[in-house]
Structure formats: structure tokens, C-alpha cells
Amino acid sequence: AVVSTQSTGSQVQTLFHELGHALHGILGRTTYQHTSGTRGPTDFAEIPSTLFENFISHPRVWTNCLSPREQHRGDDLTHLFNTPYTALEMETSILHAMVDLTLHSGPPPRDTCEVVARLQEEVSSLVYPAGTAWHHRFSHLHIYRSKYYSYLWSR
């Protein structure tokens, strides 16, 4: 079994996302290996993985990922993929992309918290929690360096 009925929707989505990266690397055929799979441009590296996430919304796919003793409970997993938070997740991704692009375009700001608070006020329905710095723990800001938008673009 790849997935358990005890798995969260986020865990299953991450599994399929990373499996998309793996398949892209395994199945990608190119003369220039150093530019294929996840070693290529970030914009394009996220397309197969994000596309692969879409397979989890089909019951036939994720039911086959369960162990035989859990397959009869497959219908219980629909709540993992059809949540009322889909719009909020998209809004948060937009905010993350805007923060990433803003912080990596031009000279570094003196106060990143101020920039993030302003952007969150502009694009998010959630209020920025004063006195916090959630973006300091957002590792994609350091890894992607103004390319986080590629997740949105690949959807």
C-alpha cells in the first residue's frame, strides 16, 4: 500500500507531487541530462509534478493505492480531496508567489515583515498576524528565489 486511510490529504498530495518529479526524471529522455527533469528550468520542472497531483482526485486511482484490506473504505477518502479550502489554498499560493517576486526583485527591503504585511493585506482574505514573521519559515523563498509562481503557472 502506498497510501493509508490514516493519511491526510496534504500527505497524499505531496506524495503524488513528488512522484510526478520522480517520473519526470525517470521517463525524461534528453541528450543533455543536466537540463532534464528537476534540473531544468523551475517553471517547467513543476508542470509534471503538479499535473500528477490531479490523479488523486479520481477514486479509481487512489483506491488502487490502498492496501487490499483498506480498499473497501476508499469512499471514506473523498473528504481529503474535496475540501472547502481550495480557494483559500489558491489565494495563499498567490500570496506566496507575490511575496517571493517582491522580495527578489530589486534591492532587499529593510523590513520584510512590512512588505509581507502589505502584500497580505492587498491579496489575502486573512489578516496578517502582527508581530509574526511566517515568511522566515517559508523555505521556498530561499530555494526558488522568485520562481515560486511556477506552482501557479503549472496549474
Side-chain angles (χ1 to χ4, degrees):
V2 176
V3 178
S4 165
T5 53
Q6 302 300 311
S7 302
T8 66
S10 177
Q11 290 171 328
V12 176
Q13 182 179 15
T14 299
L15 174 70
F16 273 71
H17 181 91
E18 298 307 327
L19 186 58
H21 281 306
L23 288 173
H24 184 203
I26 293 167
L27 301 175
R29 303 273 186 224
T30 181
T31 305
Y32 307 104
Q33 187 207 9
H34 64 283
T35 62
S36 68
T38 55
R39 293 176 299 274
T42 307
D43 313 49
F44 299 105
E46 290 303 330
I47 293 173
S49 55
T50 304
L51 177 66
F52 209 75
E53 289 176 27
N54 293 323
F55 285 97
I56 60 175
S57 64
H58 195 285
R60 188 170 169 195
V61 171
W62 46 261
T63 301
N64 285 325
C65 293
L66 295 169
S67 69
R69 66 186 168 90
E70 289 184 309
Q71 284 183 356
H72 72 283
R73 298 178 56 197
D75 289 340
D76 296 343
L77 298 181
T78 54
H79 70 281
L80 295 178
F81 313 114
N82 302 313
T83 71
Y85 304 110
T86 305
L88 184 60
E89 289 170 1
M90 180 60 76
E91 181 183 277
T92 302
S93 290
I94 292 169
L95 173 64
H96 289 167
M98 290 186 68
V99 167
D100 187 30
L101 286 169
T102 302
L103 294 179
H104 288 100
S105 59
R110 293 181 73 78
D111 184 359
T112 58
C113 293
E114 186 179 298
V115 172
V116 172
R118 180 181 48 79
L119 286 170
Q120 188 160 342
E121 186 178 314
E122 288 176 15
V123 301
S124 180
S125 56
L126 300 175
V127 176
Y128 180 79
T132 66
W134 62 260
H135 58 288
H136 290 179
R137 292 175 301 284
F138 184 49
S139 63
H140 280 67
L141 284 178
H142 309 292
I143 297 167
Y144 280 70
R145 292 189 198 99
S146 78
K147 296 180 196 142
Y148 187 81
Y149 73 90
S150 60
Y151 284 104
L152 293 165
W153 184 77
S154 61
R155 288 193 191 277

